[in-house]
């Protein structure tokens, strides 16, 4: 990628909008980078270009409730089952490409 700035992308998953930083070739295998608590996608800013150099397209989504992603109002909207559905939706959005999950802290639990 010629730019030193990641792309800002939004994914629409059912009733949730997931804001993400992306970097790399959209036809490459996907590296899906999940942040920890209380971080957000920005915490992957140094890894995104490195993953692209390794031949991945890297996505660092803001999980529900973080950054510009949707903030559901109820506590139960943040249950692990909901977070897993969000990740499944992002994997579906990858269009059948191979996906490698990377997680830090709470993102590792979700991964």
């Amino acid at each position: 990628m010629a730019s030193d700035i990641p792309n800002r992308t939004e994914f629409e998953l059912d009733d949730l909008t997931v804001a993400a930083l992306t970097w790399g070739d959209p036809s490459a295998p996907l590296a899906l980078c999940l942040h920890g608590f209380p971080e957000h996608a920005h915490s992957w800013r140094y890894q995104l270009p490195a993953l692209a150099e390794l031949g991945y397209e890297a996505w660092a989504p803001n999980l529900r409730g973080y950054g510009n992603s949707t903030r559901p109002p109820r506590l139960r909207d943040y249950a692990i089952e909901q977070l897993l559905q969000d990740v499944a939706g992002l994997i579906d959005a990858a269009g059948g490409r191979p996906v490698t999950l990377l997680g830090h802290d709470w993102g590792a639990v979700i991964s």
Side-chain angles (χ1 to χ4, degrees), residues 45-108:
R45 67 193 175 281
Y46 299 118
Q47 290 79 17
L48 297 177
L51 288 163
E53 293 246 344
L54 291 172
Y56 292 94
E57 180 185 24
W59 294 357
N62 281 310
L63 299 173
R64 61 173 54 216
Y66 290 87
N68 290 329
S69 292
T70 302
R71 292 181 177 95
R74 300 170 303 184
L75 184 59
R76 68 176 174 248
D77 295 327
Y78 296 87
I80 189 72
E81 295 82 8
Q82 296 298 318
L83 300 170
L84 294 173
Q85 282 184 308
D86 297 347
V87 173
L90 288 166
I91 291 171
D92 288 345
R97 293 184 280 164
V99 177
T100 298
L101 285 175
L102 303 166
H104 173 260
D105 188 60
W106 184 239

Side-chain angles (χ1 to χ4, degrees), residues 5 16 28 30 44 64 73 78-79 90 96:
I5 301 171
L16 186 75
L30 178 64
W44 291 97
R64 61 173 54 216
Y78 296 87
L90 288 166

